Amino acid sequence: MNDAAPAPTPAPAPRRARVRAPELIGKGGWLNTGGKELTLADLRGKCVVVDFWTFCCINCLHVLDELRELEEKHRDTVVIVGVHSPKFVHEAEHQAVVDAVERYGVEHPVLDDPELATWKQYAVRAWPTLVVIDPEGYIVAQHAGEGHAHAIERLVEELEAEHGAKGTLRRGDGPYVPPEPVATDLRFPGKAIVLPSGNFLVSDTTRHQLVELGPDGESVVRRIGGDGQFKEPQGLALLPDGRVVVADTVHHALRSFDPVSGDIELLAGTRKQWWQGQPTSGPALEVDLSSPWDVAWWRGKVWIAMAGVHQLWTYDPETRTVEVAAGTTNEGLVDGPGAEAWFAQPSGLAATEDRLWVADSETSALRYVDADGAVHTAVGTGLFDFGHRDGDAAQALLQHPLGVTALPDGSVAVADTYNHALRRYDPASGEVTTLATDLREPSDAVLAGDDIVVVESARHRLTRLRLPEEAVRVEAVAHRTQRSATEVAPGRLQLDVVFQAPAGQKLDTRYGPSTRLLVSSTPPELLLAGEGTGTDLARELSLNPDVAEGVLHVSAMAASCDDDPANEYPACHVHQQDWGVPVRLAEGGASRLPLVLAGMDAAGAS
């Protein structure tokens, strides 16, 4: 006789809105699968997290890092699938996607979708967007932006319990097959400087170290910090005392390296990522940073291209403090006083006596800060226009530049990364020319005597060029982002940012409103009403019927905390995303614009 108590009946799973997931399709095919073409049927029985990303996007890189713990902890039940959805023309090249998957250590299957086919099927509006598919093939959640890993893990645990009880969960290895490693001295190097010894110091980004090369730019002298001290380091700057400041990008920190003693010291950052509402100035080791991408010594301070929050910061070695110098955290191209300017992922810096030059990558722009702290644009028009066009700076085009180098004659060289070119801007003439082509994702350049040495990131090497006396002629091309504009009706437009606090959490209202919404437009005349900042995630906009098309810039943030009355100090989480929504005004267009921050848009469901 069996005396054991009967097993308790599992609690009924919470009811969720479920929509059948569209198939994953992309002309570029699959990476990290050993050559196998995957379908959703192959993934049945697994909890699938689809990550819509593009490799230019710093927020997408943040999400890749956020997902790594989930990926490891739930390896036998969860399959993360990256869908690479390009913004720039270069990102639609298959080899560029292959390179990016290795460069950023992506250890899950990736679908190369150069024509945005799957993006459109899933009605995605922003990079990054995460969609959760249950083991039976239904969409159960959607999240845009950063800060959602904890919510997705909670959902995954619920799905594991629910489908484990139903018998629809399949445990075991996923479809990831790692690529074969390649032996090279450098692997996707980021930036370089010339040391006083005449040697080159290079940030060997993908291998998480610095490499000192001889004057030939090839012979390896030594490797520095390959023991976890750096994580995807990028920018380097020589200080007056001979030390080098390193932008330790994924550690969200600045470190110093002494080429003489070999000592490495933490200068700034806590190794935690900065979020909205946190301090933006103070003791350098107590303030969070966000993906510092480049550094430069200018006017007695280290200037920091803080790509993760679209700002410039400074570090003062005398007071050991940091503070914001320019930028509002809004993403876009707006000039003016530093406190009012907008940047979009600044990624390269170069200092001259009276200017700090900035490669503003997402606006494909060359910009500068003057001695009074005001921000100006030399080349570039905004987030959606890019290409390779020389001539007068007012109409010249770049494509996602990552580096800028001051030249002896007062002009600057621009590492025009996605055009595989080295460009030149001359402030005296206002002209843009091309110095060299057939480079592979150049990310920086440094002067060495009469030569300019280019960091060819995707060829894993430094390439020495003689500075040409005459510019190279190229055929002009201009592009716009492949994202199609949303047709909206002129006049009233209801903007709804959809946010549902994850299960087991509630909005954090202990210190006032827990949500924030900022709306603006390009051109500014597009919005007759509705711009500005508020705490309600729904807002009525009024669109100017005399403006045919433009971009709505929407930034949303919501803070939620664990809903446990017994816990006096519940864990809290910030969810945030910026959208740039291209719109075209048309009679009969949509009168409602839903943007999903977290959850499902019940009002838009059929």
Side-chain angles (χ1 to χ4, degrees), residues 544-575:
N544 188 345
D546 297 329
V547 178
E549 60 181 9
V551 179
L552 291 174
H553 303 283
V554 181
S555 178
M557 191 239 349
S560 61
C561 291
D562 293 345
D563 189 8
D564 181 0
N567 186 353
E568 186 178 356
Y569 302 104
C572 295
H573 314 275
V574 176
H575 319 257

Side-chain angles (χ1 to χ4, degrees), residues 62 210 228-236 244-256 264-274 284-295 302-308 313 315 322:
H62 290 167
L210 309 180
Q229 287 170 297
F230 300 112
K231 191 167 184 183
E232 296 184 24
Q234 286 283 348
L236 307 168
V244 177
V245 177
V246 184
D248 193 2
T249 304
V250 176
H251 277 153
H252 308 295
L254 297 187
R255 299 185 189 276
S256 68
I264 296 173
E265 177 189 354
L266 180 64
L267 296 180
T270 65
R271 290 185 52 160
K272 294 179 182 177
Q273 183 184 339
W274 184 92
L285 295 177
E286 299 175 14
V287 178
D288 297 341
L289 309 181
S290 183
S291 298
W293 206 273
D294 202 6
V295 282
V302 176
W303 286 67
I304 310 163
M306 203 72 78
W313 289 38
Y315 165 72
V322 293

Side-chain angles (χ1 to χ4, degrees), residues 28 42 57 67 76 78 116 175 182 204 217 233 253 272 349 363 384 391 394 429 437 453 464 473 491 496 520 553 594:
D42 298 324
C57 161
L67 292 176
D76 67 334
V78 171
L116 304 183
V182 182
D204 194 22
K272 294 179 182 177
L349 300 175
T363 53
F384 300 102
S429 66
T437 57
V453 177
R464 187 180 295 267
R473 290 188 177 275
D496 291 327
S520 62
H553 303 283

Side-chain angles (χ1 to χ4, degrees), residues 74-86:
H74 297 269
R75 190 168 289 280
D76 67 334
T77 58
V78 171
V79 174
I80 295 176
V81 173
V83 176
H84 188 269
S85 312

